[in-house]
Amino acid sequence: MNIDLLARRVFLRKLLALAGGAFAARAWAADAPKWQHDPFALGVASGSPRADGVVLWTRLVAPGAELGQLLPHGPLAVGWEVAADKSFDRIIASGNAVAVPELAHSVHVELRGLAPDRWYWYRFRCGSAQSSSGRTRTLPAADSRPERLRFAFASCQNYERGHYGAYRHMARENLDLVVFLGDYIYEYGIHAGEARAHTRGECFSLDDYRARYALYRSDPALAAMHAEVPWLFTWDDHEVANDYANDRAKDLTQDFIARRAAAYQAYYEHQPLAATALIDGAGSGRLRIYDRYDWGRLARISMLDCRQYRNHQACQSPERGGSGVVDEAACPERLDAARSMLGAEQEAWLEAQLKASPAGWNFIAQSTLMAQSENGKGTERRYWTDAWDGYPAARHRLLGALVEHKVRNPVVLGGDIHATWVTDLKLDFDDPKAAVVATEFCGTSITSTGWSQSKTDAVASRNPHVKWARSDRRGYTLVDLDAERARVYCRAVDSTATPNPAIETLAAFEVVSGTPGARRIA
Ligand code: FE
Ligand code: CA
């Protein structure tokens, strides 16, 4: 590591420590700016909910044609208020945070001391400007037995492919949480003839990624959904670069470590993550995002990171990184027992979470398809190396741990493939008689386009553990859970070409407690 980078990390860590203390804010409050524009144009958000707190987020930005440009200011004091009611008549907590230019004037307020299982409202102020308000909530107490949990999960929102109208409908679903499973941004450049256009070329620098997050957040339906409920997050590849794995991108010539560090920092700056995510400080190129959330004893949601620690995709050609579709016989590396999707540390962490879980339902929320998806022709067997099919030994270890520890009602949630796949997860996918050990719902994309339905039908037909597969529609998946059953609704918009699409339920499924595997109910 070079000295400048090291000095910068130490400096950022000090700033973060400072930002944690409200005392620092007073010094700057005196010269609070009189704004000529709305510095809170990116809106507000909340996330990382706990039974006693939640992280509140906003970011102050400069005016200009391209949203997300840095303000010319130094550190700014940002006041925050939390109320027990929508009209802010009953303020129950308030304070000051410091927004520093090194973190793009983002604000992350880590609230503590709130009551469990309650809704709260929050807003920010800086100088003459006040933000819009957001609504958030705490988790139920760890030992409580909540009757119900309602959440939606979503992924893959390529801005150029259309509007985020799905979120307008999601906002009316009376949700407790949103679970986002990756591809929040796409790093790609500008393409002609799309529904909307990126504002600059492919993202490489910190400045590029910051501008990209700002562009995506400028969609009013997405911004409104962030203000509605807390979100849980994981990422997939496009938050950095298509098909990257750990320290390797598809294009082996670039300085990928610097690019990943920039992308990870921008991710932190634009999502409501706790500062503990910044393991070695901002810009270190490491971000700890895997975590678990307990909805009392009803459900445990483990959010996994399937990108940062994985082995490189199997059987890459020498000149190139990224994924491929490989013949089973020609790629023995794929089957190597040492290969990991999560990395040894996260894998051990997940097993411990599952083993100790007191919850009636155990959601494993991660970024891609877990079930085997053999996609050859005739007797030839082929697998895509980017999803869990590229890491079959790691998949087998995970599913084996579910059996070994008698984990109650495991349900795997995923994204990435721009399609909804409802599958039975088994220790041996090639044995039609093998027991179902977990239920999988891999959900469709918000906007990103998928395979043709005929291609999906052809692949699904080769994989009898796939119960339902639709790649022709965009939307999100709703989960309505009680102790007895999980009901899962595949919601689809009729168009991404308009900000105000209609919605319909393409299919609904039920998982009954004690019986793994989804049953279609509508
Ligand atoms: Fe995607
Ligand atoms: Ca992806």
Side-chain angles (χ1 to χ4, degrees), residues 487-499:
R487 289 209 171 96
V488 177
Y489 302 87
C490 304
R491 303 272 210 236
V493 291
D494 63 350
S495 170
T496 53
T498 160

Side-chain angles (χ1 to χ4, degrees), residues 156 183 186 238 416 418 448:
C156 295
D183 290 357
Y186 281 69
H238 289 289
D416 181 36
H418 310 170
S448 307

